[in-house]
Amino acid sequence: NVNVSIRTEKLGSEIKKALSMPLHEYARTNGGGMITVTSVVVSPDGSVAKLHISIFANSLGNAQILLKLNEDHHFLNRVLATQVRLRIIPELRFYLDDSLDQIEHIN
């Protein structure tokens, strides 16, 4: 359904915008560096949001900060609830976007 995909794309964009600064702060207080949301895919019913992130220069390492983010997602859900008006706050799931690593490897 076209309306569902437009709505979920809009929601993904809103989530990306709302969490960019909180994730920047999260990185600063958890090993430094930078966390950038590269894409957000929202399930058709809006209950789950998969956030693909890039992690740069974090002293904890990518695997550790990814694990920590998935454990601490409730904090980010609360941030999202205050930033975006939604009936359902989606469960946030974080995945490493390794497309930059793949491009570097190809080069």
Side-chain angles (χ1 to χ4, degrees), residues 35-99:
I35 298 173
T36 305
V37 179
T38 57
S39 69
V40 179
V41 179
V42 180
S43 64
D45 66 356
S47 65
V48 176
K50 295 180 179 181
L51 287 83
H52 294 91
I53 60 171
S54 289
I55 303 168
F56 301 102
N58 187 281
S59 66
L60 297 178
N62 290 0
Q64 190 63 33
I65 195 71
L66 190 63
L67 182 68
K68 200 164 173 33
L69 268 172
N70 278 306
E71 289 173 354
D72 294 344
H73 74 273
H74 299 294
F75 144 75
L76 292 165
N77 274 78
R78 284 193 298 278
V79 169
L80 191 58
T82 63
Q83 299 287 326
V84 182
R85 292 188 57 147
L86 298 169
R87 282 184 299 136
I88 300 168
I89 302 299
E91 177 187 337
L92 302 177
R93 296 182 186 161
F94 293 89
Y95 299 90
L96 193 58
D97 180 355
D98 58 358
S99 58

Side-chain angles (χ1 to χ4, degrees), residues 6-42:
I6 291 171
R7 190 177 76 231
T8 58
E9 278 185 39
K10 253 182 167 173
L11 178 55
S13 178
E14 289 290 315
I15 290 170
K16 185 176 179 179
K17 190 167 47 171
L19 294 181
S20 67
M21 280 310 293
L23 283 170
H24 177 74
E25 286 298 312
Y26 189 86
R28 199 174 62 73
T29 58
N30 290 281
M34 194 167 75
I35 298 173
T36 305
V37 179
T38 57
S39 69
V40 179
V41 179
V42 180

